Amino acid sequence: MSERRATIASRVGLHLRPAALFAEAAARLPVEVTIARDGAPVQDALNAASVLAVLSLGAECGDVVVLRAEGADADVALASLAAFLERDLDAE
Amino acid sequence: MRIFSGAGVSPGRITGVVRRMPRPVREPAPGERRAVSVSAGQAAADLRAASHSVQTELQSRAEQATGDAKAILAATAMMAADPMLMRSALDLIDGGSSAEGALWDAAASVAGMLRGLGGHMAERAADVLDIRARIIAILRGVPAPGVPSSATPYILVAEDLAPADAATLDPAMVLALVTSGGGPASHTAILARALGLPAVVAAAGADELTDGVEICVDGVTGTVVVDPDNAARAGLQVSPRATTTVGGQTTTAAAAGFDGDGRLADGYVLPLLANVGSARDAATAAAAGAQGIGLLRTELYFLDHTSEPSIQQQRKAYRAVLDAFPGKKVVLRTLDAGADKPLPFLAIANAAAEPNPALGIRGYRTERVRPGVLERQLEAIASAAAGAEAEVWVMAPMISTAEEAGKFAGRCAAAGLKTCGVMVEVPSAALTAEPILSRVDFVSIGTNDLTQYVMAADRQLGALAALNSPWQPAVLQLISHTVAGAAAEGGHKPVGVCGEAAADPALAVVLAGLGVSTLSMTPRSLAGVGAVLGSVSLELAQELAGVALDSSSATGARARVRARLPMLERLGL
């Protein structure tokens, strides 16, 4: 299991538009990725490809989330998603 | 040809083709199980297919949209096939649920989670429930919920419309509204008047109308002619307002506009003001010639807030309205929440705790359970008023006693607000107008609630539409009593009317005759009301007020007054 922490850069937090962009990106990856708030139990992690799951985290700007995935491509996948969260998606 | 009728609530006559508003998607039986003949695999496949089809439709709508709407539609399309939502629905199907039951429960739980986060997430919860309704409509083979989309103009026929439907109703495509439910003060009626669409409500025959049928609608008489013959069309088209070409109706009254100087024919001054809910409405009202704002519904700012807006936010919102009316009067009504207008952050009581919310904790009464909100609102208003050029008046809704009026006046004074008044909506306030006016500077009569309370008839109930008319002599008696109370008090304090009654040109004449000092209405109605008032003398208005007061029914009062006002027919009102 690979793990990667990311700090939400979007000024409005993971609201509709950034959450949708993120979930779309996660869905395109070859591995299944989960997302959870930092410190939440692993079994509570949610499907990162689900826009509803991502929204339901209610993550605000500055909050830290944990991305997890299994498999050979996991590290690359997580790095790309983390980079995604660490940009201000709403400003783009 | 067939004719039926209901209550005409927004003037205008038009012929067009019916499109029905689909009935809301009904909840499946709680925990609905799959029929024995349907396997879990089949139910799952049906659900996936329906979800895919909703996703495809929303994606194609997103492609045609631009800007924010595009991004929102695209994200909503993703929700339609959301893996988390589908996973939990499919798990429920595996457990024996029907496809509809599974999706219903899965979406309810996601929506609940989002709502719990507060703020804008409450809107996302509404998106999830909308998606759910669309998918279930496909599973059941019924039309998608919501205002139908159409490439050609049509007459919208429904049981009743909810405030949320207004947002999706395209006034360029909808020619008129006909509903089987609702009354003269229902959301449908208010919406129709605001959009200037002819409307007939409480028309029992409307439930039999089907898509594609041609009908003539008369928003004054409440008549609906189905499959009209040529004579009927001709009869409905004598008025200059009527038109055979769909979509292009104009009124002579509206074409002439309102000149911003409300007077009777003899020069008697009766200022005409506007009812608004936002700065945008205020700009429309100013353009329509309104002589001020007679009612700013401040709660409209609060509707989509799950937490109380800050004093700063409120100040900015109020100031934007004040700035549209420099040198003019702007009457701000403090929060009118409760009953038909629940505000998330007040969360006063649920239906179970308040079986009769119209008689419950609403308006000024919310101060009892949420102290502080009013004080902060008054502070925000005072701060918006500081330096504004408008003349700021403040009033409280749902006042029942002179004691409450006095307390409210004390709070206004403490906030530094100079002109303080109260609404007269509860019959007890009309009956005690004199002692109330000895404590405040003005009153404004809200005829919608005053009517439902004095007639003991729910304003949303179509079956009681006839009772729920501001033409009811009892309502007019209370208005007359309020004016008499103001006279007895002796301070020449203003008595305005800001209910929907003021938007009815014939009733406006009666109100003038009863001695009301200002009328406030939806900006659309200013031209028609102004033109009709300009055609009568004060003497005639007083005579007609007497005629209405002496009638034995609302319909009788209306017919007898209208018969004396030829201007109405000339303007097609």
Side-chain angles (χ1 to χ4, degrees), chain B residues 460-525:
Chain B
Q460 304 292 347
L461 271 188
L464 301 179
L467 283 178
N468 219 315
S469 162
W471 283 96
Q472 284 291 352
V475 176
L476 302 176
Q477 292 283 2
L478 285 180
I479 294 172
S480 178
H481 198 98
T482 307
V483 172
E489 193 274 335
H492 302 286
K493 293 182 177 175
V495 177
V497 169
C498 66
E500 292 291 319
D504 173 340
L507 195 47
V509 170
V510 170
L511 295 172
L514 289 173
V516 162
S517 41
T518 57
L519 298 176
S520 190
M521 66 203 75
T522 180
R524 285 264 189 180
S525 300

Side-chain angles (χ1 to χ4, degrees), chain B residues 188 384 386 423:
Chain B
T188 303
M423 295 277 295

